Amino acid sequence: MKREEKGADCITREEYLEYLEYLIHTYQNLIFSICLKSVGNPFDAEDLTQDVFLSAYKNLFRFDGTYEKAWLSKIAVRKCLDHLKAAGRRTIPTEDTYFEQLHDKEFSPEEAFLDKDFKDRIRHLCVALKSPYREVALEHFCEEKTAAEIAKAQNKNIKTVQTQIYRSRSMLKALLERSD
């Protein structure tokens, strides 16, 4: 049953529940996939999917019935963003974990070698790119400069540099996949 078939003032609680069932049946896979892509954990994605439909049910009286997919997707994205923000606040280290993490950040000789080897490999692949991607890739991926720093140094528009970084990343990924 589509919501717009009746006026909002004459819809009963049963009809709201029926409409919610329709929304769940129709869009649960979409909402779950949005949540899973956002948080990367299927358990959290299931919880967030339930939260989305609970929120939708609570706000059905305000919903006019148009663009159901967009409405539910927007709720899902906002729920995921809230979840990710809250996750960042939950992971404040205590004193004990802080010192443990400090020790873990030191590279073993093997890790240091592998890190240097990977950086050398990336530099070699960056050099193999054609201009202007070569210059942007070297500065961004090897010298770890931001797009704003590169744009200022090369006197380019920041959007141009961001596009070049994006494209060079795709080219590097393809080169890496071929070399493996």
Side-chain angles (χ1 to χ4, degrees):
M1 171 188 88
K2 288 280 187 184
R3 174 87 193 280
E4 60 269 0
E5 292 171 6
K6 292 190 172 201
D9 54 339
C10 63
I11 294 178
T12 65
R13 184 175 189 279
E14 289 78 23
E15 289 172 324
Y16 271 118
L17 291 173
E18 185 180 313
Y19 186 60
L20 180 66
E21 286 179 31
Y22 159 77
L23 291 175
I24 292 171
H25 178 73
T26 307
Y27 299 110
Q28 68 184 354
N29 291 337
L30 170 70
I31 300 305
F32 177 78
S33 66
I34 289 171
C35 295
L36 183 60
K37 290 253 185 205
S38 298
V39 299
N41 178 341
F43 300 109
D44 289 341
E46 285 178 8
D47 291 343
L48 286 168
T49 301
Q50 290 177 356
D51 286 348
V52 168
F53 286 108
L54 180 62
S55 182
Y57 175 70
K58 289 178 181 177
N59 293 293
L60 267 179
F61 69 93
R62 287 191 247 162
F63 180 57
D64 65 359
T66 57
Y67 306 111
E68 298 163 341
K69 187 177 183 179
W71 181 62
L72 290 171
S73 298
K74 190 174 186 179
I75 294 172
V77 168
R78 287 186 178 163
K79 291 282 184 188
C80 291
L81 288 174
D82 290 345
H83 174 80
L84 292 172
K85 285 179 190 174
R89 289 190 295 266
R90 286 190 301 261
T91 58
I92 297 173
T94 62
E95 289 180 35
D96 295 337
T97 58
Y98 176 74
F99 289 113
E100 289 172 8
Q101 290 172 351
L102 277 180
H103 180 68
D104 289 343
K105 290 183 180 176
E106 294 178 19
F107 286 131
S108 70
E110 181 183 15
E111 290 171 330
F113 173 78
L114 290 173
D115 186 56
K116 183 183 180 319
D117 183 56
F118 182 74
K119 287 180 179 178
D120 290 343
R121 190 172 171 200
I122 293 297
R123 179 172 294 281
H124 177 72
L125 291 172
C126 287
V127 170
L129 297 176
K130 293 182 180 179
S131 188
Y133 304 109
R134 176 187 323 115
E135 295 80 11
V136 170
L138 283 168
E139 289 188 42
H140 184 71
F141 298 111
C142 299
E143 298 173 20
E144 298 180 3
K145 291 184 179 178
T146 65
E149 293 170 335
I150 297 168
K152 186 176 180 182
Q154 294 185 2
N155 197 24
K156 291 182 179 177
N157 184 329
I158 191 167
K159 291 293 184 186
T160 303
V161 172
Q162 288 172 336
T163 301
Q164 290 172 344
I165 289 171
Y166 175 79
R167 289 179 180 166
S168 64
R169 180 180 292 124
S170 297
M171 291 177 208
L172 288 172
K173 183 179 177 186
L175 288 173
L176 269 172
E177 288 173 351
R178 278 190 227 132
S179 67
D180 287 341

